[in-house]
């Protein structure tokens, strides 16, 4: 209920609400390994039975592309670090090459792309030391995230981006992209 009332719709060209039992293809490490809160006092105990994973939630309402899900589960994610090695924000994502070979399974599905950032106490967002891929801040999309989004746009019929972040992100490029049908900021 809290999330339902707390999410912000940043873009919708009519693709939302996705019809029950529609075919969807989830993308992103945070689909497989979601954030439910931040660190420190913002941490959430996810062992309670009422906690529903993204995987459970999608499976309850949609026909999920298990071929892509299995590719993600079998892949090793990459964690980006600031050059100084002092970064608790854990920007982790798969290399977009894990999706290659699964293009046909994405046809006529709606992509749901999971992008997440943690919240943390006692750590300011760094904008002076870039990550190892050149991303300047956790407020920006990383190179791997941009590549994943490009794959989804090229191979799925619709593309929805789900931002699971405690702070706003710089997503103007997505808002202005006609290949992105919807953006939801779900918060943490």
């Amino acid at each position: 209920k809290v999330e339902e009332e707390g999410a912000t719709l940043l873009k919708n060209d009519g693709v939302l609400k996705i019809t029950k039992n529609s075919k969807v293809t989830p993308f992103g490490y945070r689909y497989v390994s979601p954030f439910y809160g931040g660190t420190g006092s913002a941490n959430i105990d996810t062992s309670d039975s009422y906690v529903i994973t993204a995987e459970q939630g999608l499976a309850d309402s949609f026909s999920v592309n298990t071929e892509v899900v299995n590719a993600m589960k079998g892949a090793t994610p990459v964690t980006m670090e600031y050059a100084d090695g002092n970064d608790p924000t854990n920007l982790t994502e798969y290399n977009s090459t894990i999706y290659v070979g699964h293009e046909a399974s994405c046809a006529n599905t709606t992509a749901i792309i999971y992008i997440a950032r943690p919240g943390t106490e006692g750590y300011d967002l760094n904008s002076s030391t870039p990550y190892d891929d050149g991303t300047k801040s956790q407020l920006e999309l990383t190179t791997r995230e941009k590549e994943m989004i490009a794959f989804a746009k090229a191979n799925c019929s619709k593309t929805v981006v789900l931002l699971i972040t405690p702070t706003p992100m710089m997503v103007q490029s997505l808002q202005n992209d006609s290949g992105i049908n919807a953006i939801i900021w779900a918060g943490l």
Side-chain angles (χ1 to χ4, degrees), residues 20 24 31 51-62 64 114:
K20 190 170 177 77
V24 298
Y31 169 78
V51 175
I52 298 171
T53 66
E55 191 169 4
Q56 291 166 321
L58 285 189
D60 287 348
S61 297
F62 304 108
V64 178
Y114 290 76

Side-chain angles (χ1 to χ4, degrees), residues 76-155:
T76 301
V78 178
T79 299
M80 291 184 6
E81 296 180 3
Y82 278 124
D84 67 6
N86 182 27
D87 177 27
T89 57
N90 191 21
L91 296 187
T92 302
E93 191 51 73
Y94 298 114
N95 283 319
S96 62
T97 56
I98 71 159
Y99 303 113
V100 175
H102 303 289
E103 293 87 349
S105 73
C106 298
N108 301 312
T109 69
T110 298
I112 302 178
I113 300 170
Y114 290 76
I115 308 256
R117 300 290 187 268
T120 181
E121 292 179 31
Y123 187 81
D124 291 332
L125 299 178
N126 186 345
S127 61
S128 61
T129 307
Y131 284 97
D132 54 14
D133 78 337
T135 302
K136 295 177 185 170
S137 161
Q138 76 177 59
L139 300 178
E140 297 180 19
L141 294 171
T142 68
T143 300
R144 288 181 192 89
E145 289 167 340
K146 291 174 186 175
E147 291 169 351
M148 172 179 59
I149 291 168
F151 180 92
K153 286 176 13 183
N155 293 287

Side-chain angles (χ1 to χ4, degrees), residues 2-23:
V2 171
E3 188 62 40
E4 187 176 296
E5 293 178 2
T8 302
L9 187 60
L10 300 178
K11 180 178 182 177
N12 182 18
D13 69 1
V15 71
L16 299 176
K17 177 176 180 182
I18 301 173
T19 308
K20 190 170 177 77
N21 299 321
S22 293
K23 294 178 183 178

Side-chain angles (χ1 to χ4, degrees), residues 34 74 90 162 171:
N90 191 21
L162 180 59
V171 292

